[in-house]
PDB file of all heavy atoms in Angstrom:
ATOM      1  N   ARG O   1     108.758  84.737  94.418  1.00  0.00           N
ATOM      2  CA  ARG O   1     109.118  85.790  93.489  1.00  0.00           C
ATOM      3  C   ARG O   1     108.289  87.066  93.576  1.00  0.00           C
ATOM      4  O   ARG O   1     108.172  87.822  92.686  1.00  0.00           O
ATOM      5  CB  ARG O   1     109.102  85.285  91.992  1.00  0.00           C
ATOM      6  CG  ARG O   1     110.103  84.186  91.791  1.00  0.00           C
ATOM      7  CD  ARG O   1     110.123  83.748  90.305  1.00  0.00           C
ATOM      8  NE  ARG O   1     111.076  82.665  90.071  1.00  0.00           N
ATOM      9  CZ  ARG O   1     110.710  81.402  90.097  1.00  0.00           C
ATOM     10  NH1 ARG O   1     109.439  81.012  90.254  1.00  0.00           N
ATOM     11  NH2 ARG O   1     111.592  80.404  89.941  1.00  0.00           N
ATOM     12  N   LEU O   2     107.639  87.214  94.713  1.00  0.00           N
ATOM     13  CA  LEU O   2     106.916  88.512  94.919  1.00  0.00           C
ATOM     14  C   LEU O   2     107.469  89.276  96.058  1.00  0.00           C
ATOM     15  O   LEU O   2     106.870  90.383  96.431  1.00  0.00           O
ATOM     16  CB  LEU O   2     105.419  88.094  95.207  1.00  0.00           C
ATOM     17  CG  LEU O   2     104.657  87.334  94.104  1.00  0.00           C
ATOM     18  CD1 LEU O   2     103.203  87.014  94.616  1.00  0.00           C
ATOM     19  CD2 LEU O   2     104.611  88.217  92.837  1.00  0.00           C
ATOM     20  N   GLY O   3     108.537  88.870  96.737  1.00  0.00           N
ATOM     21  CA  GLY O   3     109.115  89.624  97.869  1.00  0.00           C
ATOM     22  C   GLY O   3     108.352  89.470  99.147  1.00  0.00           C
ATOM     23  O   GLY O   3     108.631  90.144 100.116  1.00  0.00           O
ATOM     24  N   LEU O   4     107.331  88.575  99.239  1.00  0.00           N
ATOM     25  CA  LEU O   4     106.550  88.408 100.403  1.00  0.00           C
ATOM     26  C   LEU O   4     107.303  87.790 101.531  1.00  0.00           C
ATOM     27  O   LEU O   4     107.051  88.145 102.703  1.00  0.00           O
ATOM     28  CB  LEU O   4     105.275  87.618 100.036  1.00  0.00           C
ATOM     29  CG  LEU O   4     104.374  88.191  98.987  1.00  0.00           C
ATOM     30  CD1 LEU O   4     103.280  87.253  98.637  1.00  0.00           C
ATOM     31  CD2 LEU O   4     103.786  89.498  99.506  1.00  0.00           C
ATOM     32  N   ALA O   5     108.210  86.807 101.268  1.00  0.00           N
ATOM     33  CA  ALA O   5     108.991  86.283 102.337  1.00  0.00           C
ATOM     34  C   ALA O   5     109.841  87.304 103.047  1.00  0.00           C
ATOM     35  O   ALA O   5     109.949  87.358 104.209  1.00  0.00           O
ATOM     36  CB  ALA O   5     109.841  85.113 101.816  1.00  0.00           C
ATOM     37  N   GLU O   6     110.474  88.098 102.212  1.00  0.00           N
ATOM     38  CA  GLU O   6     111.356  89.220 102.759  1.00  0.00           C
ATOM     39  C   GLU O   6     110.514  90.181 103.592  1.00  0.00           C
ATOM     40  O   GLU O   6     110.905  90.641 104.661  1.00  0.00           O
ATOM     41  CB  GLU O   6     112.065  89.923 101.650  1.00  0.00           C
ATOM     42  CG  GLU O   6     113.079  89.081 100.888  1.00  0.00           C
ATOM     43  CD  GLU O   6     112.404  88.406  99.653  1.00  0.00           C
ATOM     44  OE1 GLU O   6     111.170  88.209  99.552  1.00  0.00           O
ATOM     45  OE2 GLU O   6     113.204  88.078  98.716  1.00  0.00           O
ATOM     46  N   ARG O   7     109.324  90.596 103.061  1.00  0.00           N
ATOM     47  CA  ARG O   7     108.539  91.519 103.831  1.00  0.00           C
ATOM     48  C   ARG O   7     108.059  90.936 105.128  1.00  0.00           C
ATOM     49  O   ARG O   7     107.996  91.630 106.196  1.00  0.00           O
ATOM     50  CB  ARG O   7     107.373  91.927 102.973  1.00  0.00           C
ATOM     51  CG  ARG O   7     107.794  92.818 101.824  1.00  0.00           C
ATOM     52  CD  ARG O   7     106.649  93.152 100.816  1.00  0.00           C
ATOM     53  NE  ARG O   7     105.556  93.846 101.490  1.00  0.00           N
ATOM     54  CZ  ARG O   7     104.349  93.881 100.962  1.00  0.00           C
ATOM     55  NH1 ARG O   7     104.112  93.434  99.708  1.00  0.00           N
ATOM     56  NH2 ARG O   7     103.410  94.592 101.636  1.00  0.00           N
ATOM     57  N   LEU O   8     107.691  89.674 105.117  1.00  0.00           N
ATOM     58  CA  LEU O   8     107.277  89.003 106.347  1.00  0.00           C
ATOM     59  C   LEU O   8     108.383  88.896 107.313  1.00  0.00           C
ATOM     60  O   LEU O   8     108.227  89.136 108.563  1.00  0.00           O
ATOM     61  CB  LEU O   8     106.685  87.631 106.026  1.00  0.00           C
ATOM     62  CG  LEU O   8     106.090  86.815 107.171  1.00  0.00           C
ATOM     63  CD1 LEU O   8     105.013  87.569 107.818  1.00  0.00           C
ATOM     64  CD2 LEU O   8     105.683  85.413 106.764  1.00  0.00           C
ATOM     65  N   ALA O   9     109.617  88.562 106.893  1.00  0.00           N
ATOM     66  CA  ALA O   9     110.780  88.490 107.759  1.00  0.00           C
ATOM     67  C   ALA O   9     111.025  89.848 108.412  1.00  0.00           C
ATOM     68  O   ALA O   9     111.282  89.945 109.629  1.00  0.00           O
ATOM     69  CB  ALA O   9     111.994  88.024 107.021  1.00  0.00           C
ATOM     70  N   ARG O  10     110.956  90.935 107.643  1.00  0.00           N
ATOM     71  CA  ARG O  10     111.184  92.250 108.182  1.00  0.00           C
ATOM     72  C   ARG O  10     110.189  92.602 109.207  1.00  0.00           C
ATOM     73  O   ARG O  10     110.451  93.212 110.245  1.00  0.00           O
ATOM     74  CB  ARG O  10     111.215  93.286 107.022  1.00  0.00           C
ATOM     75  CG  ARG O  10     112.478  93.231 106.252  1.00  0.00           C
ATOM     76  CD  ARG O  10     112.567  94.443 105.280  1.00  0.00           C
ATOM     77  NE  ARG O  10     113.719  94.196 104.344  1.00  0.00           N
ATOM     78  CZ  ARG O  10     113.545  93.607 103.135  1.00  0.00           C
ATOM     79  NH1 ARG O  10     112.351  93.293 102.673  1.00  0.00           N
ATOM     80  NH2 ARG O  10     114.581  93.437 102.380  1.00  0.00           N
ATOM     81  N   ARG O  11     108.905  92.244 108.970  1.00  0.00           N
ATOM     82  CA  ARG O  11     107.852  92.492 109.944  1.00  0.00           C
ATOM     83  C   ARG O  11     108.131  91.811 111.227  1.00  0.00           C
ATOM     84  O   ARG O  11     108.038  92.397 112.312  1.00  0.00           O
ATOM     85  CB  ARG O  11     106.498  92.113 109.408  1.00  0.00           C
ATOM     86  CG  ARG O  11     105.354  92.170 110.399  1.00  0.00           C
ATOM     87  CD  ARG O  11     105.153  93.638 110.912  1.00  0.00           C
ATOM     88  NE  ARG O  11     104.081  93.620 111.881  1.00  0.00           N
ATOM     89  CZ  ARG O  11     104.020  94.498 112.816  1.00  0.00           C
ATOM     90  NH1 ARG O  11     104.795  95.511 112.900  1.00  0.00           N
ATOM     91  NH2 ARG O  11     102.989  94.427 113.696  1.00  0.00           N
ATOM     92  N   TRP O  12     108.528  90.578 111.223  1.00  0.00           N
ATOM     93  CA  TRP O  12     108.852  89.793 112.431  1.00  0.00           C
ATOM     94  C   TRP O  12     110.026  90.419 113.158  1.00  0.00           C
ATOM     95  O   TRP O  12     110.014  90.435 114.353  1.00  0.00           O
ATOM     96  CB  TRP O  12     109.157  88.328 112.113  1.00  0.00           C
ATOM     97  CG  TRP O  12     109.265  87.490 113.307  1.00  0.00           C
ATOM     98  CD1 TRP O  12     108.255  86.860 113.976  1.00  0.00           C
ATOM     99  CD2 TRP O  12     110.484  87.184 114.094  1.00  0.00           C
ATOM    100  NE1 TRP O  12     108.791  86.201 115.071  1.00  0.00           N
ATOM    101  CE2 TRP O  12     110.044  86.451 115.188  1.00  0.00           C
ATOM    102  CE3 TRP O  12     111.780  87.628 113.954  1.00  0.00           C
ATOM    103  CZ2 TRP O  12     111.023  86.006 116.088  1.00  0.00           C
ATOM    104  CZ3 TRP O  12     112.746  87.216 114.848  1.00  0.00           C
ATOM    105  CH2 TRP O  12     112.386  86.386 115.913  1.00  0.00           C
ATOM    106  N   LEU O  13     111.063  90.812 112.399  1.00  0.00           N
ATOM    107  CA  LEU O  13     112.212  91.478 112.993  1.00  0.00           C
ATOM    108  C   LEU O  13     111.770  92.766 113.721  1.00  0.00           C
ATOM    109  O   LEU O  13     112.359  93.108 114.757  1.00  0.00           O
ATOM    110  CB  LEU O  13     113.278  91.718 111.980  1.00  0.00           C
ATOM    111  CG  LEU O  13     113.978  90.472 111.475  1.00  0.00           C
ATOM    112  CD1 LEU O  13     114.792  90.812 110.219  1.00  0.00           C
ATOM    113  CD2 LEU O  13     114.833  89.778 112.509  1.00  0.00           C
ATOM    114  N   GLU O  14     110.808  93.465 113.184  1.00  0.00           N
ATOM    115  CA  GLU O  14     110.330  94.739 113.849  1.00  0.00           C
ATOM    116  C   GLU O  14     109.548  94.403 115.100  1.00  0.00           C
ATOM    117  O   GLU O  14     109.642  95.073 116.093  1.00  0.00           O
ATOM    118  CB  GLU O  14     109.457  95.523 112.885  1.00  0.00           C
ATOM    119  CG  GLU O  14     110.108  96.100 111.749  1.00  0.00           C
ATOM    120  CD  GLU O  14     109.113  96.679 110.673  1.00  0.00           C
ATOM    121  OE1 GLU O  14     107.887  96.584 110.884  1.00  0.00           O
ATOM    122  OE2 GLU O  14     109.610  97.059 109.592  1.00  0.00           O
ATOM    123  N   LEU O  15     108.730  93.361 115.068  1.00  0.00           N
ATOM    124  CA  LEU O  15     107.899  92.987 116.161  1.00  0.00           C
ATOM    125  C   LEU O  15     107.574  91.490 116.055  1.00  0.00           C
ATOM    126  O   LEU O  15     106.753  91.036 115.249  1.00  0.00           O
ATOM    127  CB  LEU O  15     106.473  93.730 116.133  1.00  0.00           C
ATOM    128  CG  LEU O  15     105.549  93.450 117.233  1.00  0.00           C
ATOM    129  CD1 LEU O  15     106.043  94.182 118.472  1.00  0.00           C
ATOM    130  CD2 LEU O  15     104.160  93.895 116.892  1.00  0.00           C
ATOM    131  N   PRO O  16     108.311  90.767 116.892  1.00  0.00           N
ATOM    132  CA  PRO O  16     108.164  89.235 116.794  1.00  0.00           C
ATOM    133  C   PRO O  16     106.726  88.857 117.243  1.00  0.00           C
ATOM    134  O   PRO O  16     106.502  88.742 118.498  1.00  0.00           O
ATOM    135  CB  PRO O  16     109.246  88.720 117.703  1.00  0.00           C
ATOM    136  CG  PRO O  16     110.144  89.887 117.923  1.00  0.00           C
ATOM    137  CD  PRO O  16     109.423  91.116 117.798  1.00  0.00           C
ATOM    138  N   PHE O  17     105.942  88.536 116.335  1.00  0.00           N
ATOM    139  CA  PHE O  17     104.557  88.197 116.615  1.00  0.00           C
ATOM    140  C   PHE O  17     104.379  86.683 117.003  1.00  0.00           C
ATOM    141  O   PHE O  17     103.326  86.266 117.348  1.00  0.00           O
ATOM    142  CB  PHE O  17     103.636  88.523 115.422  1.00  0.00           C
ATOM    143  CG  PHE O  17     104.105  87.976 114.093  1.00  0.00           C
ATOM    144  CD1 PHE O  17     103.769  86.698 113.705  1.00  0.00           C
ATOM    145  CD2 PHE O  17     104.784  88.761 113.262  1.00  0.00           C
ATOM    146  CE1 PHE O  17     104.220  86.171 112.513  1.00  0.00           C
ATOM    147  CE2 PHE O  17     105.272  88.317 112.049  1.00  0.00           C
ATOM    148  CZ  PHE O  17     104.943  87.000 111.657  1.00  0.00           C
ATOM    149  N   ALA O  18     105.510  85.890 116.947  1.00  0.00           N
ATOM    150  CA  ALA O  18     105.501  84.526 117.334  1.00  0.00           C
ATOM    151  C   ALA O  18     106.881  84.203 117.910  1.00  0.00           C
ATOM    152  O   ALA O  18     107.870  84.843 117.510  1.00  0.00           O
ATOM    153  CB  ALA O  18     105.228  83.638 116.173  1.00  0.00           C
ATOM    154  N   THR O  19     106.927  83.319 118.830  1.00  0.00           N
ATOM    155  CA  THR O  19     108.224  82.960 119.436  1.00  0.00           C
ATOM    156  C   THR O  19     109.136  82.285 118.380  1.00  0.00           C
ATOM    157  O   THR O  19     110.334  82.474 118.415  1.00  0.00           O
ATOM    158  CB  THR O  19     108.010  81.949 120.628  1.00  0.00           C
ATOM    159  OG1 THR O  19     107.126  82.599 121.584  1.00  0.00           O
ATOM    160  CG2 THR O  19     109.284  81.658 121.307  1.00  0.00           C
ATOM    161  N   VAL O  20     108.489  81.437 117.512  1.00  0.00           N
ATOM    162  CA  VAL O  20     109.194  80.792 116.434  1.00  0.00           C
ATOM    163  C   VAL O  20     108.442  81.160 115.154  1.00  0.00           C
ATOM    164  O   VAL O  20     107.268  81.035 115.048  1.00  0.00           O
ATOM    165  CB  VAL O  20     109.256  79.281 116.594  1.00  0.00           C
ATOM    166  CG1 VAL O  20     109.925  78.611 115.420  1.00  0.00           C
ATOM    167  CG2 VAL O  20     109.928  78.918 117.876  1.00  0.00           C
ATOM    168  N   LEU O  21     109.221  81.514 114.128  1.00  0.00           N
ATOM    169  CA  LEU O  21     108.708  81.747 112.802  1.00  0.00           C
ATOM    170  C   LEU O  21     109.485  80.932 111.741  1.00  0.00           C
ATOM    171  O   LEU O  21     110.682  81.071 111.737  1.00  0.00           O
ATOM    172  CB  LEU O  21     108.689  83.208 112.399  1.00  0.00           C
ATOM    173  CG  LEU O  21     108.384  83.584 110.964  1.00  0.00           C
ATOM    174  CD1 LEU O  21     106.930  83.202 110.616  1.00  0.00           C
ATOM    175  CD2 LEU O  21     108.591  85.074 110.738  1.00  0.00           C
ATOM    176  N   GLY O  22     108.812  80.163 110.895  1.00  0.00           N
ATOM    177  CA  GLY O  22     109.444  79.457 109.826  1.00  0.00           C
ATOM    178  C   GLY O  22     108.805  79.970 108.540  1.00  0.00           C
ATOM    179  O   GLY O  22     107.635  80.007 108.365  1.00  0.00           O
ATOM    180  N   ILE O  23     109.693  80.429 107.611  1.00  0.00           N
ATOM    181  CA  ILE O  23     109.233  80.899 106.319  1.00  0.00           C
ATOM    182  C   ILE O  23     109.866  80.074 105.225  1.00  0.00           C
ATOM    183  O   ILE O  23     111.136  79.956 105.142  1.00  0.00           O
ATOM    184  CB  ILE O  23     109.714  82.321 106.116  1.00  0.00           C
ATOM    185  CG1 ILE O  23     109.178  83.299 107.243  1.00  0.00           C
ATOM    186  CG2 ILE O  23     109.164  82.927 104.773  1.00  0.00           C
ATOM    187  CD1 ILE O  23     109.690  84.799 107.181  1.00  0.00           C
ATOM    188  N   GLU O  24     108.977  79.473 104.394  1.00  0.00           N
ATOM    189  CA  GLU O  24     109.470  78.698 103.263  1.00  0.00           C
ATOM    190  C   GLU O  24     109.718  79.703 102.083  1.00  0.00           C
ATOM    191  O   GLU O  24     108.908  80.561 101.856  1.00  0.00           O
ATOM    192  CB  GLU O  24     108.441  77.660 102.876  1.00  0.00           C
ATOM    193  CG  GLU O  24     108.902  76.793 101.741  1.00  0.00           C
ATOM    194  CD  GLU O  24     107.911  75.636 101.459  1.00  0.00           C
ATOM    195  OE1 GLU O  24     107.358  75.074 102.406  1.00  0.00           O
ATOM    196  OE2 GLU O  24     107.694  75.370 100.241  1.00  0.00           O
ATOM    197  N   HIS O  25     110.877  79.490 101.379  1.00  0.00           N
ATOM    198  CA  HIS O  25     111.140  80.357 100.224  1.00  0.00           C
ATOM    199  C   HIS O  25     112.150  79.698  99.314  1.00  0.00           C
ATOM    200  O   HIS O  25     112.643  78.587  99.589  1.00  0.00           O
ATOM    201  CB  HIS O  25     111.675  81.679 100.737  1.00  0.00           C
ATOM    202  CG  HIS O  25     112.863  81.598 101.605  1.00  0.00           C
ATOM    203  ND1 HIS O  25     114.125  81.540 101.105  1.00  0.00           N
ATOM    204  CD2 HIS O  25     112.977  81.412 102.947  1.00  0.00           C
ATOM    205  CE1 HIS O  25     114.999  81.460 102.055  1.00  0.00           C
ATOM    206  NE2 HIS O  25     114.326  81.376 103.264  1.00  0.00           N
ATOM    207  N   GLU O  26     112.387  80.365  98.185  1.00  0.00           N
ATOM    208  CA  GLU O  26     113.364  79.794  97.237  1.00  0.00           C
ATOM    209  C   GLU O  26     114.818  79.788  97.817  1.00  0.00           C
ATOM    210  O   GLU O  26     115.167  80.655  98.574  1.00  0.00           O
ATOM    211  CB  GLU O  26     113.384  80.696  95.983  1.00  0.00           C
ATOM    212  CG  GLU O  26     112.110  80.682  95.158  1.00  0.00           C
ATOM    213  CD  GLU O  26     112.200  81.660  94.097  1.00  0.00           C
ATOM    214  OE1 GLU O  26     112.074  82.903  94.358  1.00  0.00           O
ATOM    215  OE2 GLU O  26     112.319  81.272  92.919  1.00  0.00           O
ATOM    216  N   LYS O  27     115.545  78.796  97.397  1.00  0.00           N
ATOM    217  CA  LYS O  27     116.932  78.705  97.850  1.00  0.00           C
ATOM    218  C   LYS O  27     117.804  79.914  97.575  1.00  0.00           C
ATOM    219  O   LYS O  27     118.646  80.285  98.394  1.00  0.00           O
ATOM    220  CB  LYS O  27     117.547  77.434  97.227  1.00  0.00           C
ATOM    221  CG  LYS O  27     118.897  77.057  97.733  1.00  0.00           C
ATOM    222  CD  LYS O  27     119.364  75.795  97.086  1.00  0.00           C
ATOM    223  CE  LYS O  27     120.735  75.348  97.621  1.00  0.00           C
ATOM    224  NZ  LYS O  27     121.167  74.068  96.950  1.00  0.00           N
ATOM    225  N   ALA O  28     117.576  80.588  96.474  1.00  0.00           N
ATOM    226  CA  ALA O  28     118.367  81.698  96.075  1.00  0.00           C
ATOM    227  C   ALA O  28     118.080  82.927  96.905  1.00  0.00           C
ATOM    228  O   ALA O  28     118.876  83.859  96.908  1.00  0.00           O
ATOM    229  CB  ALA O  28     118.074  82.068  94.558  1.00  0.00           C
ATOM    230  N   VAL O  29     117.027  82.962  97.640  1.00  0.00           N
ATOM    231  CA  VAL O  29     116.667  84.122  98.469  1.00  0.00           C
ATOM    232  C   VAL O  29     117.230  83.961  99.847  1.00  0.00           C
ATOM    233  O   VAL O  29     117.169  82.856 100.448  1.00  0.00           O
ATOM    234  CB  VAL O  29     115.090  84.229  98.571  1.00  0.00           C
ATOM    235  CG1 VAL O  29     114.693  85.258  99.584  1.00  0.00           C
ATOM    236  CG2 VAL O  29     114.505  84.509  97.176  1.00  0.00           C
ATOM    237  N   HIS O  30     117.928  85.038 100.334  1.00  0.00           N
ATOM    238  CA  HIS O  30     118.489  85.015 101.696  1.00  0.00           C
ATOM    239  C   HIS O  30     117.715  86.045 102.450  1.00  0.00           C
ATOM    240  O   HIS O  30     117.797  87.230 102.141  1.00  0.00           O
ATOM    241  CB  HIS O  30     119.952  85.304 101.689  1.00  0.00           C
ATOM    242  CG  HIS O  30     120.782  84.214 101.119  1.00  0.00           C
ATOM    243  ND1 HIS O  30     121.280  83.281 101.940  1.00  0.00           N
ATOM    244  CD2 HIS O  30     121.058  83.854  99.836  1.00  0.00           C
ATOM    245  CE1 HIS O  30     121.951  82.387 101.173  1.00  0.00           C
ATOM    246  NE2 HIS O  30     121.788  82.662  99.881  1.00  0.00           N
ATOM    247  N   LEU O  31     116.918  85.576 103.448  1.00  0.00           N
ATOM    248  CA  LEU O  31     116.102  86.509 104.303  1.00  0.00           C
ATOM    249  C   LEU O  31     116.952  87.200 105.269  1.00  0.00           C
ATOM    250  O   LEU O  31     117.972  86.638 105.780  1.00  0.00           O
ATOM    251  CB  LEU O  31     114.971  85.743 104.891  1.00  0.00           C
ATOM    252  CG  LEU O  31     114.020  85.005 103.998  1.00  0.00           C
ATOM    253  CD1 LEU O  31     112.968  84.305 104.792  1.00  0.00           C
ATOM    254  CD2 LEU O  31     113.376  85.986 103.040  1.00  0.00           C
TER     255      LEU O  31
END
């Protein structure tokens, strides 16, 4: 509920800092 998952996903989309990224988040949130 702080928007951190979304911000992290956007950062990875800008510059993939890992080959694989897994982000845990609430079911209602679509990254």
Side-chain angles (χ1 to χ4, degrees):
R1 297 184 184 97
L2 299 177
L4 299 173
E6 295 92 335
R7 290 174 57 198
L8 183 61
R10 285 189 192 94
R11 172 62 183 155
W12 188 90
L13 291 167
E14 291 169 5
L15 183 74
F17 52 84
T19 304
V20 177
L21 169 63
I23 304 174
E24 184 176 319
H25 57 90
E26 294 174 288
K27 186 177 180 180
V29 172
H30 289 268
L31 299 182

